């Protein structure tokens, strides 16, 4: 992708979602520019996951609106958001366990090329699908495991595969929910490198939720701090590091 | 590995073509039953094994195919093949309508919905006397003749002749399913079975795919049912009863739900086991109940699944 | 006209109470164990056959048969849960359905083998014989007895689940198995007990039916479908819903039989499908 990014990649207006008495997301106004890697942080129960679920379409908001590339998507079903270029990964590994690694990649490729309804030609007959699968597998470093069923991959490889699945749908924006959860250090550096490379090559824009502050401060170009369902602070890593309110809610813990 | 597969399919084809040479009505009749159940189970498994939806209403679509084909043969001048296809199309259309409702639910709720709709078909067959003949069913369905280009009307009165027609239709049906499950559409169905949520996040309109699978599955089940009407010359409402959905379920589980050929192998085993038990005792349901218990508790991959997981690797090591 | 309406209503209510006894066990088991037992109708059938044997073959009193038959059914249910169903709690529920489906086949042939394929019935116990006039037509006393018994069973169940220690334990385990296990509940044993209790209820339904409903090997298939309809209409796992669902289905069957015989069969299934589509939590459930 070349040229200036879309200035209005994603925007929310007064986004709100309550669960009974719990105000998980309580009036969030946020706009994101294309190409800026954003991390959403906040203490447990700050509403991060609910926020992501509202953006991806797993949940619909009680109030407020969501715009993607300038068009409203507030109540659009999941698969249509994906078609428009809004992908995500999950906190719990979420692949197609019995399918092979390459089939895992081909499925979103086919559905986003609009050829998934073809029921008469074999999947393998398409040269283009084959080429794109190879490319994504190479990026994720999974070429050698292409023919293994996804369920026998290591945890780290499954997370990489998940990013690959999200990438195959040709997203303009990928929401990553704790991409490094449960990983060992080697796996962690692999996935962080993948995210950093893809972001630097401007292949897609990432928004990630992350607990690990090392990850956040080494990767993010912009940080959004959620607290009790609202945006407490927003800015570059250095600005956030100096923010007294942010220090307060983390009790001078990890951030210092 | 590829060679083994070809040997298997070739042997199966030769054996199937040779069965009428035995000249025994019993074997030919039994072979027709196996073929019909094989196609029925393949249709059922499109929904169960490939899409992950367990239907207890498929006897309804099988019956819809049988009734529609029977009525076409009795009341219209349509030829045998057109009537059978017409029966299947009717079942497919019915499946599209019923499926439209059923795919709104999943898991147990889906099973209950298909059960309810299947029993509606049963109730309709039972109560709509003027069309379906009520509890007597359709009686005296003619087998008619087959129109072949160049040959004109070919009589199908001989059982062996009808056998070849059933074999051809079943082969065509299986061929269609083979192409479908290996196509992008088939891959998407398996993705939905594996992980519905992830499939939606791969850009898949999950319900629409489930509906398409449901309609195709009904069409194939109806095709199987439609072949039975001219064979037996009669169709009774009991074919639509939910307990009749047991046969494709058993055949599918016997053969293996996650393998292409599983339901076909299962259909053969189903009748072999039935013949075997019936020689010992009239209580063959009891035997099948026990077989089903063993399958669910210990062999959920079925016979073909077991072969692919354990026997084929061993054979492969030995011969390579 | 009005008399017939009321009279058919009474017939419907007595039908409903049989359905209630079957559906209660089915619902209790689903609510606690999460397993929809296809073979529950077979347990009902077994209760009928065992009590029938006690009365007709052993020559025992009807009330002794009513006590013994369901207890044996509970035992059969216990064995089913302990040795088979317990093994599939952790896997796809499609297999749970298929496993219980296997028991339909097994019980169907077992019953034919032991008792033969012909229809059976037993005499009405002396004290409850005869009929009394209702709206000018004789109504069997035995049916009145059944109509009275149904709500009593319902009350008993309510008391057991809401007021007793055992009921609290069951509700805790139904809500969260791990949590119940963590606070010291022997969950596997509790599940076996609940399954036995549910089976017993089904057996009682079967045993109560022998004087007025024919006993035959095909009864399991008919009853399980009606019980499913009741359970779905009331909301799967909802006992109160099952009670009112039974009354609804009982009345629909009784009135349909007289006023719309052509649609009698289909109507129950249409109702069942409509509820599943529009209100999957059931008429009496909260979402």
């Amino acid at each position: 992708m070349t040229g200036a990014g879309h200035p209005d990649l994603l925007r929310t207006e007064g986004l709100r979602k309550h669960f009974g008495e719990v105000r998980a997301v309580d009036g969030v106004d946020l706009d994101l520019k294309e190409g800026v890697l954003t991390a959403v942080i906040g203490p447990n129960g700050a509403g991060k996951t609910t926020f992501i679920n509202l953006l991806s379409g797993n949940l619909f908001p009680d109030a407020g609106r969501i715009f993607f590339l300038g068009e409203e998507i507030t109540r659009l079903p999941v698969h249509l958001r994906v078609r428009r270029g809004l992908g995500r990964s999950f906190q719990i590994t979420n692949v197609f366990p019995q399918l092979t690694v390459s089939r895992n990649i081909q499925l979103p490729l086919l559905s986003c090329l609009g050829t998934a309804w073809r029921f008469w030609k074999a999947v393998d007959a398409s040269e283009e699908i084959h080429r794109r699968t190879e490319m994504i597998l190479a990026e994720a470093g999974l070429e050698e495991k292409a023919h293994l069923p996804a369920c026998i991959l290591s945890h780290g490889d499954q997370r990489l595969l998940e990013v690959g699945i999200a990438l195959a749908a040709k997203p303009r924006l990928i929401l990553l929910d704790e991409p490094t959860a449960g990983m060992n250090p080697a796996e962690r550096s692999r996935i962080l490198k993948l995210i950093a490379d893809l972001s630097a090559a401007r292949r897609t824009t990432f928004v990630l939720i992350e607990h690990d502050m090392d990850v956040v401060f080494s990767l993010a170009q912009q940080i959004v701090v959620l607290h009790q369902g609202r945006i407490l602070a927003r800015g570059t890593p250095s600005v956030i590091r100096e923010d007294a309110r942010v220090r307060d809610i983390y009790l001078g813990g990890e951030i210092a | 590995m590829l060679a083994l597969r070809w040997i298997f399919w070739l042997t199966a084809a030769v054996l199937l073509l040779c069965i009428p040479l035995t000249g025994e009505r019993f074997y030919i009749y039994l072979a027709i039953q196996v073929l019909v159940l094989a196609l029925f189970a393949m249709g059922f498994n499109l929904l169960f094994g490939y899409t992950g939806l367990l239907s207890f209403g498929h006897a309804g679509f099988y019956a819809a195919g049988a009734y529609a084909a029977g009525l076409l043969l009795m009341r219209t001048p349509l030829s045998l093949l057109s009537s059978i296809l017409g029966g299947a199309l009717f079942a497919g259309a019915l499946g599209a309508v019923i499926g439209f409702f059923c795919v709104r639910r999943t898991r147990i709720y889906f099973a209950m919905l298909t059960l309810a709709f299947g029993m509606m078909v049963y109730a309709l067959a039972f109560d709509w006397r003027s069309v379906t003949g009520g509890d007597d069913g359709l009686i005296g369905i003619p087998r008619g003749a087959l129109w072949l280009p160049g040959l004109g009307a070919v009589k199908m009165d001989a059982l062996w002749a009808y056998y070849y027609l059933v074999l051809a239709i079943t082969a065509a049906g299986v061929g269609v399913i083979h192409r479908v499950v290996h196509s992008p559409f088939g891959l998407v169905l398996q993705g939905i079975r594996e992980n519905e949520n992830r499939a939606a996040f791969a850009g898949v309109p999950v319900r629409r795919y489930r509906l398409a699978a449901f309609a195709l599955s009904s069409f194939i089940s109806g095709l199987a049912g439609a072949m039975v009407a001219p064979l037996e010359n009669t169709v009774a409402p009991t074919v639509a009863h939910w307990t009749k959905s047991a046969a494709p379920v058993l055949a599918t589980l016997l053969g293996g739900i996650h393998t292409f050929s599983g339901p076909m192998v299962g259909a053969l085993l189903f009748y072999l086991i039935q013949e075997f038990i019936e020689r010992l005792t009239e209580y063959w349901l009891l035997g099948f109940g026990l077989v089903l218990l063993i399958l669910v508790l210990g062999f959920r991959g079925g016979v073909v699944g077991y072969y692919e997981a354990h026997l084929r690797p061993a054979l492969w090591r030995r011969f390579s | 006209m009005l008399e017939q309406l009321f009279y058919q209503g009474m017939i419907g209510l007595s039908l409903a109470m049989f359905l209630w006894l079957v559906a209660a066990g089915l619902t209790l088991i689903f609510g606690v164990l999460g397993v929809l037992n296809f073979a529950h109708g077979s347990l009902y059938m077994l209760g009928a056959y065992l009590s029938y044997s006690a009365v007709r073959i052993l020559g025992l009193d009807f009330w002794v048969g009513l006590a013994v038959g369901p207890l044996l059914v509970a035992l059969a249910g216990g064995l089913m849960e302990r040795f088979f169903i317990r093994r599939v709690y952790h896997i796809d529920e499609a297999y749970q359905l298929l496993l219980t489906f296997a028991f339909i086949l097994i019980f169907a042939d077992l019953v034919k083998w032991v008792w033969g394929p012909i229809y059976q019935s037993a005499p009405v116990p002396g004290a409850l014989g005869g009929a009394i006039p209702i709206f000018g037509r004789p109504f069997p006393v035995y049916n009145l007895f059944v109509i009275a018994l149904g709500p009593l069973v319902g009350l008993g169940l309510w008391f057991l689940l809401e007021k007793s220690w055992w009921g609290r334990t069951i509700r805790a385990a139904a809500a969260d198995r791990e949590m119940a296990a963590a606070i010291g509940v022997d969950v596997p044993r509790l599940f076996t007990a609940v399954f036995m209790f549910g089976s017993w209820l089904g057996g009682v339904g079967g045993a109560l039916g022998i004087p007025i409903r024919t006993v035959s090997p095909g009864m399991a298939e008919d009853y399980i479908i009606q019980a499913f309809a009741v359970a779905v209409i009331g909301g799967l796992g909802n006992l109160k819903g099952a009670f009112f669902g039974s009354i609804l289905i009982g009345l629909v069957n009784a009135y349909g039989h007289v006023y719309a015989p052509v649609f009698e069969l289909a109507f129950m299934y249409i109702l069942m499908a409509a509820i599943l589509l529009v209100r999957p939590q059931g008429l009496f459930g909260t979402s």
Side-chain angles (χ1 to χ4, degrees):
Chain A
M1 240 162 266
T2 52
H6 201 288
D8 192 19
L9 183 63
L10 185 85
R11 181 157 51 86
T12 69
E13 287 176 359
L15 209 55
R16 205 173 73 205
K17 180 76 185 176
H18 293 182
F19 298 104
E21 294 297 300
V22 183
R23 300 173 169 200
V25 172
D26 196 25
V28 171
D29 299 295
L30 182 69
D31 57 289
L32 298 174
K33 273 207 264 302
E34 190 152 36
V36 180
L37 202 160
T38 306
V40 178
I41 65 168
N44 279 332
K48 301 183 298 282
T49 296
T50 306
F51 181 60
I52 290 276
N53 282 337
L54 290 174
L55 297 185
S56 66
N58 287 63
L59 293 173
F60 288 150
D62 298 334
R65 309 210 287 173
I66 308 169
F67 297 87
F68 184 66
L69 297 167
E71 287 173 55
E72 177 159 9
I73 58 160
T74 315
R75 294 194 169 264
L76 208 61
V78 165
H79 70 272
L80 292 179
R81 294 182 199 223
V82 176
R83 297 273 178 93
R84 291 185 184 201
L86 178 59
R88 80 168 285 183
S89 78
F90 291 84
Q91 201 167 353
I92 302 160
T93 308
N94 211 333
V95 296
F96 303 107
Q98 301 289 329
L99 303 183
T100 63
V101 169
S102 51
R103 290 279 189 249
N104 265 273
I105 301 289
Q106 281 159 356
L107 203 156
L109 272 178
L110 289 161
S111 86
C112 291
L113 279 174
T115 53
W117 276 102
R118 287 190 191 160
F119 61 91
W120 204 241
K121 269 213 163 122
V123 177
D124 299 319
S126 165
E127 195 51 45
E128 184 179 4
I129 294 294
H130 186 70
R131 197 173 45 76
R132 290 199 192 198
T133 309
E134 301 270 289
M135 196 181 86
I136 290 170
L137 286 177
E139 276 173 334
L142 292 169
E143 314 94 307
E144 281 162 23
K145 295 166 180 133
H147 297 292
L148 299 177
C151 57
I152 67 168
L153 297 186
S154 69
H155 177 69
D157 281 344
Q158 289 196 10
R159 299 307 303 245
L160 284 168
L161 177 59
E162 223 195 322
V163 176
I165 295 173
L167 271 182
K170 278 218 213 153
R172 298 282 287 267
L173 174 68
I174 300 186
L175 309 164
L176 298 176
D177 196 353
E178 298 198 30
T180 64
M183 285 187 165
N184 65 37
E187 292 172 335
R188 177 177 307 224
S189 63
R190 268 176 75 201
I191 197 161
L192 292 178
K193 184 170 179 313
L194 175 64
I195 295 169
D197 288 352
L198 289 167
S199 186
R202 310 214 60 178
R203 277 281 307 283
T204 182
T205 305
F206 288 97
V207 171
L208 56 134
I209 293 182
E210 190 51 77
H211 277 302
D212 187 320
M213 289 305 147
D214 291 337
V215 172
V216 170
F217 283 98
S218 66
L219 210 57
Q221 295 161 300
Q222 169 180 244
I223 295 175
V224 174
V225 187
L226 279 183
H227 183 51
Q228 293 175 349
R230 291 161 186 264
I231 294 181
L232 181 79
R234 168 184 178 176
T236 59
S238 52
V239 170
I240 295 298
R241 207 188 293 268
E242 301 307 319
D243 194 305
R245 293 167 306 172
V246 178
R247 282 166 184 258
D248 279 350
I249 64 161
Y250 277 97
L251 295 166
E254 288 176 275
I255 294 219
Chain B
M1 195 101 62
L2 213 61
L4 270 178
R5 178 167 299 175
W6 279 109
I7 292 169
F8 170 79
W9 286 111
L10 219 70
T11 318
V14 171
L15 282 177
L16 284 168
L17 285 169
C18 290
I19 282 173
L21 301 181
T22 60
E24 292 269 353
R25 269 188 76 82
F26 173 74
Y27 287 121
I28 303 174
Y29 184 75
L30 190 64
I32 293 179
Q33 302 271 332
V34 171
L35 287 173
V36 168
L37 180 60
L39 191 60
F40 188 12
M42 290 293 282
F44 167 80
N45 198 43
L46 208 53
L47 210 51
F48 184 41
Y50 282 94
T51 319
L53 293 169
L54 174 58
S55 161
F56 274 102
H58 262 50
F61 302 116
Y62 180 85
Y67 268 97
L71 283 170
L72 287 174
L73 282 167
M74 288 168 82
R75 307 212 175 151
T76 70
L78 281 179
S79 79
L80 179 59
L81 191 60
S82 313
S83 300
I84 289 176
L85 277 177
L89 282 173
F90 176 72
L94 187 69
V97 174
I98 290 177
F100 174 80
F101 296 107
C102 291
V103 297
R104 269 143 221 284
R105 298 283 171 263
T106 54
R107 294 145 55 97
I108 278 189
Y109 293 91
F110 176 86
M112 290 293 103
L113 258 182
T114 50
L115 186 63
F117 277 108
M119 287 304 282
M120 274 184 229
V121 174
Y122 171 73
L124 203 66
F126 210 89
D127 286 336
W128 199 9
R129 287 195 151 270
S130 57
V131 174
T132 62
D135 48 357
D136 296 329
L138 301 178
I139 296 166
I141 300 167
R143 199 173 289 167
L146 185 67
W147 283 92
L148 286 178
L151 289 172
V154 179
K155 288 230 172 215
M156 282 287 136
D157 297 340
L159 196 61
W160 66 264
Y162 193 66
Y163 168 81
Y164 280 116
L165 180 67
V166 170
L167 181 60
I169 293 175
T170 304
V174 170
V176 167
I177 297 173
H178 188 269
R179 289 208 76 138
V180 168
V181 301
H182 291 93
S183 71
F185 176 75
L187 175 60
V188 171
L189 294 186
Q190 292 170 63
I192 291 173
R193 172 196 76 206
E194 289 292 301
N195 193 337
E196 180 184 348
N197 191 22
R198 182 76 256 185
F201 275 102
V204 172
V206 172
R207 260 189 209 172
R208 243 176 281 162
Y209 274 85
R210 280 194 172 133
L211 175 56
F214 196 103
L216 183 61
S217 166
S218 312
F219 172 82
I220 298 286
S221 306
L223 187 60
M227 293 193 292
V228 171
L231 171 72
E232 308 281 6
N233 306 115
T234 165
V235 182
T238 46
V239 295
H241 199 265
W242 70 275
T243 46
K244 298 292 177 226
S245 299
V249 172
L250 270 163
T252 306
L253 280 171
L254 263 172
I257 66 166
H258 292 321
T259 55
F260 180 75
S261 57
M264 289 184 280
V265 175
L268 177 64
L269 289 173
F270 180 90
Y271 279 106
L272 289 181
I273 294 173
Q274 184 175 333
E275 286 301 317
F276 177 73
I277 299 177
E278 274 184 342
R279 278 176 201 193
L280 301 174
T281 156
E282 61 185 292
Y283 302 108
W284 60 277
L285 275 182
L286 179 68
F288 270 121
L290 294 174
V291 169
L292 185 55
L293 273 188
I294 294 166
L295 284 169
V296 172
L297 290 177
F299 294 91
R300 283 189 287 277
V303 171
V304 181
Y306 186 80
Y307 162 78
E308 287 190 349
H310 299 96
L311 298 179
R312 194 166 65 187
L315 279 174
W316 191 235
R317 271 196 304 277
R318 185 128 184 223
F319 294 112
S320 63
Chain C
M1 185 63 212
L2 205 62
E3 283 85 13
Q4 195 188 9
L5 209 63
F6 278 114
Y7 189 84
Q8 258 337 96
M10 293 296 283
I11 302 262
L13 279 182
S14 64
L15 276 176
M17 289 310 128
F18 284 108
L19 278 178
W20 156 236
L21 287 169
V22 192
L26 183 77
T27 300
L28 184 70
I29 290 171
F30 181 79
V32 180
L33 283 68
V35 171
L36 197 57
N37 182 14
F38 249 113
H40 197 72
S42 308
L43 294 170
Y44 170 90
M45 171 178 73
L46 203 59
Y49 269 105
L50 288 169
S51 303
Y52 159 84
S53 301
V55 175
R56 271 283 159 111
I57 298 172
L58 301 179
L60 295 172
D61 190 55
F62 171 80
W63 304 104
V64 179
L66 182 60
V68 174
L71 278 181
L72 291 172
V73 175
L75 196 68
L79 293 174
M80 229 174 109
E81 197 279 341
R82 175 65 186 78
F83 292 103
F84 299 98
I85 294 173
R86 181 177 289 189
R87 291 164 195 261
V88 294
Y89 286 135
H90 62 283
I91 61 172
D92 192 336
E93 54 198 5
Y95 289 109
Q96 300 173 359
L97 283 178
L98 292 171
L99 186 77
T100 60
F101 187 76
F103 279 100
I104 294 186
L105 306 179
I106 292 172
F107 281 127
D109 261 5
L110 221 51
V111 160
K112 254 189 245 169
W113 191 23
V114 176
W115 286 281
I118 37 171
Y119 286 41
Q120 319 278 7
S121 70
V124 176
L128 298 172
I132 53 167
I134 289 187
F135 305 112
R137 290 162 69 172
F139 191 82
V141 173
Y142 190 81
N143 290 46
L144 281 177
F145 162 69
V146 173
I147 293 175
L149 198 66
L152 283 179
V153 170
L155 264 173
L157 268 175
W158 174 80
F159 190 80
L160 186 75
L161 286 172
E162 298 292 326
K163 300 289 166 194
S164 75
W165 175 86
W166 200 58
R168 275 198 295 278
T169 321
I170 288 175
R171 279 184 293 136
D176 190 335
R177 282 173 214 189
E178 276 88 39
M179 193 57 103
I183 59 170
V185 177
D186 184 348
V187 174
R189 230 171 91 187
L190 183 74
F191 277 14
T192 309
V194 169
F195 200 93
M196 288 177 77
F197 184 61
S199 307
W200 179 80
L201 280 171
V204 169
L208 271 178
I210 57 169
I212 53 172
R213 310 181 72 79
T214 50
V215 182
S216 71
M219 64 198 283
E221 294 160 12
D222 293 338
Y223 262 88
I224 191 61
I225 290 291
Q226 296 194 34
F228 275 164
V230 164
V232 160
I233 287 164
L236 284 175
N238 182 338
L239 273 173
K240 197 176 86 187
F243 183 77
F244 291 109
S246 306
I247 293 178
L248 189 61
I249 289 291
L251 292 178
V252 160
N253 282 348
Y255 287 124
H257 191 67
V258 173
Y259 297 106
V262 178
F263 299 107
E264 186 204 346
L265 259 177
F267 195 73
M268 183 173 76
Y269 304 118
I270 294 173
L271 202 63
M272 182 176 167
I275 297 279
L276 279 166
L277 286 166
V278 181
R279 239 183 113 78
Q281 74 274 29
L283 279 183
F284 303 92
T286 48
S287 65

